[in-house]
């Protein structure tokens, strides 16, 4: 959860959008680092379904930044064999950006390196609602369908992606803000007060080190 861009900018007397620009540099650094470390799946919260409630100028900026960044970064990501997926209610996004998203997903669809999920116009509850709609449609075709956890997991946006081992939130707030509600049932949570634009390689290593010292019990002793 890449949080704290606005506060980062405010501390420097800059407009909030300046924080988003530098935040993008952090994302680039973290993607590169995860790629090199051999991390298989990285999922980032880029824009929530609630973020539409922000001032129009900020929303417009974030949308435009996403469009520009796809064009600017895609070749390098592709060269590094990163597979990019944009997950969320992508249908509701402006057509020009949607087209860039589709292009990036198609171009990198066969890559076998880091799987990068960019959660965009994403909400965890919305994801569950959308899964239920798919399941209801399936159950009309097949009355004998067995409703179990696997069926729900397989109808989320995050299909064929394992549940995350580690959730990192920057910016110091101890909440999940509607991110991956179903998928994080047994995820280890790490909150750092560091703001996202400051979160770079060393910060990631700290989070991973912290994670490596946890004991995951899954309800057992
Ligand atoms: C995270 O930073 C980026 C998005 C939510 C798009 P914020 O913009 O939420 O920054 P703060 O939390 O206000 O500092
Ligand atoms: C979560 O951050 C959403 C993203 C990082 C995209 P927010 O800044 O929107 O979350 P709240 O408002 O602090 O819960
Ligand atoms: Mg925030």
């Amino acid at each position: 959860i890449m949080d704290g861009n606005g506060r980062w900018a405010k501390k420097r007397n800059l407009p909030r959008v300046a924080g988003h620009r530098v935040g993008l540099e952090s994302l680039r650094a973290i993607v590169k680092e995860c790629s090199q470390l051999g991390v298989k799946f990285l999922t980032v919260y880029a824009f929530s379904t609630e973020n539409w409630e922000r001032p129009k100028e900020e929303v417009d900026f974030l949308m435009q930044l996403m469009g520009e960044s796809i064009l600017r970064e895609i070749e390098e990501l592709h060269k590094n064999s990163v597979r990019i997926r944009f997950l969320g209610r992508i249908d509701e996004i402006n057509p020009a950006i949607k087209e860039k998203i589709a292009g990036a997903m198609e171009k990198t669809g066969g890559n076998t390196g880091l799987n990068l999920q960019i959660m965009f116009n994403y909400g965890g509850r919305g994801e569950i609602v959308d899964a239920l709609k798919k399941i209801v449609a399936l159950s009309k075709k097949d009355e004998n369908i067995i409703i179990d956890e696997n069926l729900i997991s397989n109808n989320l946006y995050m299909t064929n992606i394992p549940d995350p081992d580690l959730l990192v939130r920057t910016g110091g707030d101890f909440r999940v803000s509607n991110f991956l509600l179903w998928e994080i049932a047994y995820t280890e949570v790490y909150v750092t007060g560091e703001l996202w634009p400051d979160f770079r390689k060393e910060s990631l290593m700290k989070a991973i080190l912290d994670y490596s010292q946890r004991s995951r019990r899954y309800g057992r002793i």
Side-chain angles (χ1 to χ4, degrees), residues 1-3 45-48 51 54 169 173 175 177:
I1 302 178
M2 311 185 285
D3 198 23
Y45 205 4
F47 192 88
S48 77
N51 288 147
R54 295 185 179 203
R169 183 171 184 139
D173 286 310
R175 56 177 175 255
S177 303

